[in-house]
Amino acid sequence: MASVTYSMPSEMSRLVATVKREQAPDGSWRYPFETGISTDAYMIILLRTLERNDEDLIRKLAERIESRQEDNGAWKLFYDEGEGNVTTTVEAYYALLYSGYRKKTDPRMQAAKQRILEMGGIENVHMFAKFMLAMTGQYRWPKFFPIPAEFLLLPPSFPLHFFDISVQGRANLTPLLILTDNKYYRKTRKSPDLSDLFRSRADSGEKWGLRADRSFLSYLKQSLIGLPKQIHTVAKQRAVQYMLQHLEADGTFYSYFSSTFLMIFALLSLGYPKDHPIIVKAVDGLKTFRCSINGHTHMQYTTATVWNTALASYALQEAGVPPSDAAIEKANRYLLSRQHNRYGDWAVHNPYSLPGGWGFSDINTINPDVDDTTASLRAIYRQASKNTLFRHAWDRGLRWLLSMQNDDGGYGAFEKNVNKRLFHYLPIQGAEFLLTDPSTADLTGRTLEFFGAFANLTKDHPAIARGIKWLIDHQEKNGSWYGRWGICYIYGTWAAVTGMIAAGVPPTHHAIQKAAKWLLSIQNRDGGWGESCKSDSAKTYVPLRASTAIHTAWALDALIAAFDQPIPEIQVGIQFLLQSIKKEDWTASYPTGQGMAGGFYIRYHSYRHVFPLLTLSHYEKKFGSLPT
């Protein structure tokens, strides 16, 4: 590879200027939270079902969906997925037909139908897409659901109860418990007919994959035996109460698209009119998730405003922008206004801590998480040493963070000790990702990095020692770590290595050296790194066979922390990084975040600026100027 000379300061200055230029007037960064086309499709289906004919929005969403169709007629979740994704293709096909702007006879729609049938038909879509199809009259409801509504009534003193399910699981399952019980559906005069997408029409209502887990159902039966039938009604009323008590100011349920979508249908199934104020406000709240990407309208799953703002503020400061700079001042004032002061469900398992965390979205007030809290604390770190207001916020955030460590020593995302393994075996597709919130390498590593680099807590502190032990115990045989919320093994390894070193583990430690060796072994010939979204489903590293700026930044940041000198592999990697951050090819839009393996991937638009900027800053601080 030819050697190219770059000036690190000038490239960093360009990145700094780019990030500053994209700041919103309120001090936040409102980069899109891009998650494919499913939310676009569901918004069209929701609006048509409610007969809220917002034609401008529906037409623009249809245009974006169509723009993402592959030449073979299918839609994909990510570039290298193969011949297409049957769930996404069915969702897109359904939404385009329901929009009224596309017809079955259109050549591109005929190609989509052909691909759906070739991929096994509508019967092969993901379970949660089947729920959407059932709610809108396109698929028969299953005969039973493995979690009955009465489960909501079990008190926390029981060995297994509602709050043992993760918050994202509760948010989506609560309305589903109502819907599966009522077996409700709503069609309109504009509803398309999807019966020709079934490979075997007789099987259309049976192929759900819902098998009874005998141990779990037996437990519930014994727990609820002798209760009168009226308890079932009480349980459904409790489900409604839970939803309405967890509405955010914009009317959305937990500020998630999916749970709000399901809630609207659950309320309809209980007799709420489609123009009920709660439903109207929820739909209007979802509309605020609208954003623009490359001239197309996209419905975000939620907003990532707090996350993006914390990352951008911290990256700018690491690059040398002082806390007194107007951009940092505005950003950190915004973050201060978003610190939580309300108790949420996290307090069920952590009752002795005061609120003090930060959430992910702009509107979030009751659902803080560990990663957003460490990110926000990093951002306000320098001001906390000088400003009383920021110091109070820092103290509250740090106390909350320390209180959230799981009993196993690691850190999960939203709640404490929510990892009952029995839920992994429930016959619910994606149960491992939806129903539990276990300790993960990425969150544990990033939290340790915060404690070591910003809170002056090292391996001598009992909590830090336990976190380090958890990471060492969960290292893969090849030296990597699995990252739950990113793609995937590169992400987890970066978080674990930088976290352990910041917490005082010497780079010579065998776990660090093993991880560094693994990272070097997967470096691409162009000097960069890249990992496929297939890694999460395969549960092992799958190379992308191309390099991305974000994966390269993560890998390099870990290696910079692990080595005392800029070894040749780091130098070549830096050269690739400086070239790649200017590219606009498919690798620039490849998803590097995940929500659910095989079904939900995220492109964070801030990452291609923030993480290269952080890595270049760390290189410059440790090794000096860029090699030529």
Side-chain angles (χ1 to χ4, degrees):
M1 180 173 124
S3 177
V4 182
T5 302
Y6 293 91
S7 169
M8 174 150 344
S10 65
E11 189 55 40
M12 287 174 61
S13 295
R14 188 188 70 81
L15 281 172
V16 166
T18 298
V19 173
K20 279 188 169 186
R21 186 170 61 249
E22 294 171 344
Q23 188 176 27
D26 67 354
S28 68
W29 275 270
R30 299 180 177 270
Y31 290 106
F33 182 72
E34 185 179 354
T35 54
I37 57 89
S38 290
T39 43
D40 303 333
Y42 280 48
M43 192 66 183
I44 291 174
I45 293 165
L46 176 65
L47 291 173
R48 285 295 189 227
T49 301
L50 296 175
E51 297 178 291
R52 288 188 58 168
N53 299 318
D54 185 337
E55 294 305 321
D56 180 67
L57 177 57
I58 291 171
R59 177 178 52 79
K60 287 179 177 177
L61 291 174
E63 288 172 354
R64 180 173 191 267
I65 292 170
E66 192 171 56
S67 74
R68 302 292 291 271
Q69 189 176 17
E70 299 290 325
D71 291 340
N72 69 354
W75 279 261
K76 293 182 181 181
L77 294 174
F78 49 88
Y79 180 82
D80 58 325
E81 188 173 21
E83 295 302 309
N85 183 283
V86 65
T87 298
T88 306
T89 304
V90 168
E91 292 167 341
Y93 180 83
Y94 184 14
L96 289 175
L97 285 180
Y98 214 164
S99 76
Y101 293 103
R102 303 294 181 271
K103 298 179 180 179
K104 285 188 177 184
T105 54
D106 294 343
R108 301 303 296 160
M109 297 294 284
Q110 290 180 330
K113 175 184 173 181
Q114 181 64 30
R115 283 299 301 137
I116 290 169
L117 295 173
E118 290 171 355
M119 291 187 286
I122 200 170
E123 303 98 315
N124 277 358
V125 302
H126 192 282
M127 182 181 298
F128 284 91
K130 289 177 181 173
F131 285 127
M132 178 274 292
L133 293 167
M135 284 181 258
T136 55
Q138 302 290 349
Y139 208 95
R140 285 202 287 268
W141 281 101
K143 293 180 179 178
F144 82 100
F145 191 65
I147 302 178
E150 287 82 355
F151 185 55
L152 276 75
L153 301 179
L154 296 178
S157 58
F158 272 63
L160 205 63
H161 57 87
F162 183 55
F163 289 97
D164 283 332
I165 295 176
S166 69
V167 64
Q168 61 266 35
R170 292 195 302 275
N172 288 286
L173 285 177
T174 301
L176 276 177
L177 294 179
I178 297 171
L179 285 161
T180 55
D181 188 70
N182 291 345
K183 293 183 170 47
Y184 172 84
Y185 70 89
R186 185 183 188 94
K187 297 185 79 169
T188 72
R189 59 185 178 82
K190 290 188 177 182
S191 293
D193 179 9
L194 301 185
S195 61
D196 54 352
L197 297 183
F198 288 95
R199 290 287 298 271
S200 175
R201 194 70 180 94
D203 193 39
S204 64
E206 304 299 327
K207 197 171 179 181
W208 279 81
L210 290 170
R211 304 173 309 281
D213 183 289
R214 294 187 178 181
S215 60
F216 183 69
L217 294 178
S218 175
Y219 164 78
L220 288 178
K221 185 176 180 181
Q222 292 174 14
S223 302
L224 301 169
I225 194 166
L227 295 179
K229 289 185 179 180
Q230 292 92 323
I231 290 295
H232 187 69
T233 301
V234 173
K236 289 168 70 172
Q237 291 172 346
R238 177 70 60 85
V240 174
Q241 288 176 348
Y242 182 83
M243 292 188 298
L244 299 185
Q245 288 168 359
H246 291 79
L247 297 182
E248 290 288 6
D250 63 352
T252 61
F253 180 28
Y254 261 126
S255 73
Y256 294 146
F257 189 100
S258 62
S259 55
T260 306
F261 180 94
L262 292 169
M263 179 193 73
I264 290 168
F265 277 89
L267 294 178
L268 290 171
S269 79
L270 293 169
Y272 284 61
K274 65 183 181 180
D275 58 352
H276 190 282
I278 293 174
I279 292 176
V280 171
K281 189 173 182 180
V283 175
D284 290 342
L286 290 179
K287 284 186 177 183
T288 67
F289 292 0
R290 178 177 181 170
C291 72
S292 179
I293 301 173
N294 298 327
H296 288 291
T297 295
H298 174 51
M299 297 304 306
Q300 300 172 98
Y301 181 82
T302 185
T303 64
T305 315
V306 171
W307 177 241
N308 287 326
T309 303
L311 289 179
S313 175
Y314 166 57
L316 289 174
Q317 291 177 75
E318 285 292 282
V321 178
S324 58
D325 186 272
I328 305 301
E329 284 273 6
K330 289 168 62 180
N332 289 354
R333 291 284 174 181
Y334 169 84
L335 290 174
L336 207 62
S337 72
R338 293 307 189 270
Q339 187 175 25
H340 290 195
N341 54 30
R342 297 173 61 193
Y343 285 95
D345 288 356
W346 57 267
V348 172
H349 292 285
N350 187 16
Y352 304 114
S353 177
L354 295 171
W358 276 264
F360 185 74
S361 72
D362 183 57
I363 198 67
N364 189 330
T365 63
I366 54 174
N367 190 28
D369 67 86
V370 166
D371 223 8
D372 278 281
T373 300
T374 62
S376 297
L377 289 171
R378 286 186 190 92
I380 68 169
Y381 166 70
R382 292 171 175 86
Q383 283 168 300
S385 64
K386 300 176 180 178
N387 184 302
T388 302
L389 198 60
F390 281 97
R391 182 68 199 195
H392 288 163
W394 170 274
D395 290 340
R396 288 175 55 214
L398 184 60
R399 281 195 297 267
W400 184 83
L401 191 62
L402 282 166
S403 77
M404 289 296 290
Q405 187 172 29
N406 288 331
D407 290 347
D408 63 10
Y411 275 85
F414 299 99
E415 294 173 332
K416 185 175 180 177
N417 297 328
V418 178
N419 188 28
K420 296 288 178 69
R421 292 199 61 82
L422 180 58
F423 289 125
H424 290 207
Y425 304 106
L426 275 181
I428 295 175
Q429 203 168 353
E432 176 185 353
F433 295 90
L434 181 70
L435 302 184
T436 61
D437 186 9
S439 296
T440 66
D442 47 333
L443 294 174
T444 304
R446 287 171 62 79
T447 304
L448 289 180
E449 191 278 337
F450 164 75
F451 283 143
F454 296 89
N456 297 318
L457 299 179
T458 62
K459 60 182 181 178
D460 297 326
H461 189 285
I464 310 307
R466 292 172 55 232
I468 292 169
K469 184 180 184 302
W470 188 93
L471 283 174
I472 292 173
D473 290 345
H474 288 81
Q475 189 174 23
E476 303 286 333
K477 289 182 179 179
N478 63 7
S480 68
W481 279 271
Y482 169 75
R484 162 66 179 89
W485 299 98
I487 305 295
C488 196
Y489 288 89
I490 293 176
Y491 183 68
T493 304
W494 160 69
V497 168
T498 54
M500 291 171 69
I501 291 174
V505 177
T508 55
H509 190 283
H510 67 89
I512 304 294
Q513 288 298 304
K514 191 175 182 181
K517 183 178 179 181
W518 177 77
L519 284 171
L520 292 172
S521 75
I522 63 166
Q523 187 174 18
N524 292 329
R525 296 181 68 178
D526 61 10
W529 281 261
E531 182 172 358
S532 173
C533 291
K534 296 176 183 178
S535 287
D536 57 7
S537 296
K539 296 189 181 301
T540 187
Y541 168 74
V542 177
L544 182 58
R545 305 198 184 284
S547 298
T548 75
I550 297 165
H551 284 120
T552 301
W554 289 335
L556 283 172
D557 203 36
L559 293 174
I560 290 167
F563 286 94
D564 292 331
Q565 299 294 328
I567 61 174
E569 291 86 347
I570 292 178
Q571 293 175 323
V572 173
I574 289 290
Q575 290 179 345
F576 172 83
L577 182 62
L578 288 165
Q579 295 173 51
S580 66
I581 54 181
K582 299 177 182 178
K583 287 184 179 180
E584 293 294 340
D585 61 8
W586 66 267
T587 63
S589 59
Y590 193 80
T592 51
Q594 62 153 312
M596 180 181 293
F600 189 90
Y601 296 95
I602 306 156
R603 178 193 172 194
Y604 290 95
H605 285 235
S606 63
Y607 279 19
R608 66 177 305 207
H609 303 315
V610 165
F611 286 114
L613 183 58
L614 282 172
T615 295
L616 295 175
S617 301
H618 294 161
Y619 181 100
E620 186 184 41
K621 288 178 181 179
K622 187 168 185 178
F623 301 135
S625 60
L626 180 71
T628 59

